[in-house]
Amino acid sequence: MRCAYFDAEVCRSCTWMGRPYADQLAAKQAHVETLLPTGPQWLPPFASEESGYRNKAKMVVTGTAAKPTLGILDAAGHGVDLRECGLYGPSLQAAFPVLAAFVAHANITPYDLAARSGELKNLLVTQSPDGELMVRFVVRSQEPVTRIRKHLPALLDALPSLRVVSVNLLPDHKAVLEGEREILLTTQETLRMRVNDIDLHLRPQSFFQTNTLVAAALYRQATQWVEDVDPGSVWDLYCGVGGFALHVADEHRDVVGIETSVEAVASACLSAHGMDGVRFEAADATAFALAHDAPELVIVNPPRRGIGAELARYLEASSASHVVYSSCNAESLARDLAAMPSLRPARAQLLDMFPQTTHYEVLTLLERA
């Protein structure tokens, strides 16, 4: 894949841009195998599309209300427009000029980082497998909310695929994407993400994997391993919107999903409506585990920091016979595995969630020795 932004050195976020994709995949496989040297049976790596794979755009808004820039900030804090970034598919790219025109039409002043003035900080856009959109306006205060609401019918007409619109309030001057408070502006509250014939419902503050194609493969492989073990009870810790739990749910199996985000749990509960044997709770994964006896199999999908020493010690001492560990950081995975020596990697697969970068997902099935 070639990228004009990368070649012009205005965006270097994709550090492996221009490197042959086969070489990228081989280098990632070699890297993870050095970190997990205990010899799991490696499945062939799952390759992604090289471009157009991102289902979400996190665009920093700069410039003026009349002429907004959607993209990133450079090292000097100036806006770089990335509307034609090749990581987004054509239909997602097509939404950016419409959204920029809406910012101008509604007269929403972009936030000026240096002056600490203005309103609109970020535009967060998510696209479902069916091409439907969710748009979130991250603003400094409620001042522009009335104007956004007033002009929203025009935006909905201009973007027929738009289903969910919200405003996120981020009053603090700090380098984060969003704040805690969300104001929903549409009747529809969730974006339907249909993955492997399962409807996952994504609320504005819920997390979902960046690469839908690879996420679907991740869920399929984990489900196959769970079916091979055929446990009667399963925990899905750090469950997000319930992707793993809903895929392995069975009326003869007790499945519990645990996630700290109340929004994500609400999404998971909506997706699970009418399904037997699966339920979700909003709780800290480690605290929940420490307060309960372990099931037969535990699925963990933690953030980059991993599950941590306390949960690793719990799993090591527990009665769980298997753990399915999905990791976006193989280094923290290796650290966690070292703390669980009796749970040995039996099978593993690299799934390339993030082409053109050094990052990837690795799925590992651990068996009790």
Side-chain angles (χ1 to χ4, degrees), residues 200-327:
L200 304 176
H201 293 272
L202 192 64
R203 297 176 68 86
Q205 291 182 305
S206 301
F207 169 80
F208 186 78
Q209 300 281 7
T210 299
N211 189 323
T212 306
L213 174 72
V214 179
L218 180 73
Y219 294 140
R220 288 196 302 271
Q221 187 57 66
T223 301
Q224 182 59 62
W225 288 346
V226 172
E227 292 303 319
D228 290 345
V229 174
D230 194 23
S233 55
V234 174
W235 288 349
D236 179 7
L237 304 182
Y238 312 94
C239 70
V241 296
F244 286 108
L246 293 165
H247 274 79
V248 305
D250 185 282
E251 61 181 1
H252 304 298
R253 181 178 297 144
D254 179 37
V255 179
V256 180
I258 302 298
E259 168 62 48
T260 56
S261 168
V262 174
E263 286 284 300
V265 169
S267 297
C269 289
L270 178 62
S271 300
H273 181 71
M275 296 178 66
D276 295 327
V278 59
R279 59 188 176 88
F280 296 92
E281 295 182 18
D284 174 78
T286 301
F288 174 85
L290 293 176
H292 296 83
D293 293 331
E296 295 175 43
L297 184 145
V298 179
I299 301 170
V300 293
N301 183 26
R304 289 190 60 79
R305 66 178 181 271
I307 64 174
E310 194 171 19
L311 183 53
R313 284 195 300 268
Y314 169 86
L315 291 174
E316 169 66 14
S318 76
S319 60
S321 61
H322 293 82
V323 173
V324 175
Y325 195 135
S326 180
S327 171

Side-chain angles (χ1 to χ4, degrees), residues 20-246:
Y21 185 59
D23 292 353
Q24 293 185 34
L25 208 57
K28 293 179 182 184
Q29 184 68 38
H31 179 255
V32 71
E33 288 188 23
T34 64
L35 293 171
L36 304 182
T38 52
Q41 175 190 351
W42 283 99
L43 299 179
F46 186 89
S48 170
E49 299 289 341
E50 293 186 48
S51 62
Y53 67 82
R54 288 191 64 95
N55 58 29
K56 64 183 72 172
K58 303 173 181 179
M59 308 296 260
V60 178
V61 185
T62 55
T64 65
K67 194 174 181 180
T69 295
L70 310 183
I72 60 171
L73 296 177
D74 64 15
H78 302 133
V80 177
D81 197 280
L82 295 181
R83 297 185 209 183
E84 297 181 9
C85 172
L87 300 188
Y88 308 122
S91 57
L92 190 53
Q93 284 186 5
F96 299 148
V98 178
L99 291 169
F102 177 79
V103 171
H105 184 62
N107 194 29
I108 312 169
T109 305
Y111 186 68
D112 186 316
L113 191 65
R116 300 194 178 191
S117 63
E119 282 294 338
L120 183 57
K121 296 184 175 183
N122 303 309
L123 273 174
L124 308 180
V125 188
T126 304
Q127 184 177 48
S128 77
D130 297 327
E132 297 180 337
L133 297 174
M134 174 165 61
V135 173
R136 303 170 62 204
F137 295 87
V138 181
V139 300
R140 186 168 64 101
S141 74
Q142 292 195 79
E143 187 275 329
V145 174
T146 299
R147 292 198 306 281
I148 294 173
R149 196 187 298 272
K150 174 184 175 182
H151 296 288
L152 183 57
L155 178 60
L156 294 171
D157 286 341
L159 271 181
S161 58
L162 185 55
R163 296 291 179 269
V164 182
V165 180
S166 67
V167 171
N168 178 273
L169 298 182
L170 179 59
D172 300 326
H173 180 79
K174 56 185 180 181
V176 295
L177 278 173
E178 60 187 84
E180 295 181 1
R181 186 180 174 195
E182 200 85 17
I183 302 173
L184 196 65
L185 301 183
T186 49
T187 302
Q188 186 168 326
E189 299 182 358
T190 65
L191 184 68
R192 189 186 71 160
M193 306 290 288
R194 189 161 182 79
V195 181
N196 298 324
D197 296 325
I198 293 178
D199 285 340
L200 304 176
H201 293 272
L202 192 64
R203 297 176 68 86
Q205 291 182 305
S206 301
F207 169 80
F208 186 78
Q209 300 281 7
T210 299
N211 189 323
T212 306
L213 174 72
V214 179
L218 180 73
Y219 294 140
R220 288 196 302 271
Q221 187 57 66
T223 301
Q224 182 59 62
W225 288 346
V226 172
E227 292 303 319
D228 290 345
V229 174
D230 194 23
S233 55
V234 174
W235 288 349
D236 179 7
L237 304 182
Y238 312 94
C239 70
V241 296
F244 286 108
L246 293 165

